[in-house]
Amino acid sequence: MYLKKSTLKKTGRTYLSIVHNYWDSKNKKSKTKTIKSIGYVDELLNEFENPVAHFEAVVAKMNEEQHADDSTETIT
């Protein structure tokens, strides 16, 4: 998973979302799935001092938890 930062050309605003990238072996294509839509950075500045850094840390924690779950599944 990663933090996707989409900047709108018309307004210049940046939108954040948490996205999972995976390989679709049936169609032999890389695909993405939006896990969580977060919101616009300028609106998130009211809640967080640095929203990009905050949500990058959230994604890192989610990745750690997913890897921990994956490793426990293969052991049993």
Side-chain angles (χ1 to χ4, degrees), residues 3 16 40-42 44-45 48-56:
L3 183 66
L16 300 178
Y40 290 101
V41 172
D42 57 346
L44 293 168
L45 285 170
F48 306 99
E49 185 176 324
N50 186 349
V52 174
H54 171 77
F55 286 106
E56 284 177 344

Side-chain angles (χ1 to χ4, degrees), residues 5-32:
K5 299 173 267 296
S6 305
T7 303
L8 301 174
K9 290 182 182 180
K10 194 172 190 177
T11 61
R13 296 174 76 191
T14 302
Y15 192 83
L16 300 178
S17 55
I18 298 173
V19 177
H20 176 68
N21 196 16
Y22 65 97
W23 180 256
D24 182 7
S25 58
K26 181 179 178 183
N27 296 322
K28 298 184 179 174
K29 292 183 179 181
S30 177
K31 293 191 173 190
T32 59

Side-chain angles (χ1 to χ4, degrees), residues 58-71:
V58 169
V59 170
K61 184 177 179 182
M62 290 172 72
N63 283 332
E64 287 177 11
E65 290 172 356
Q66 183 180 18
H67 290 298
D69 290 344
D70 291 344
S71 64

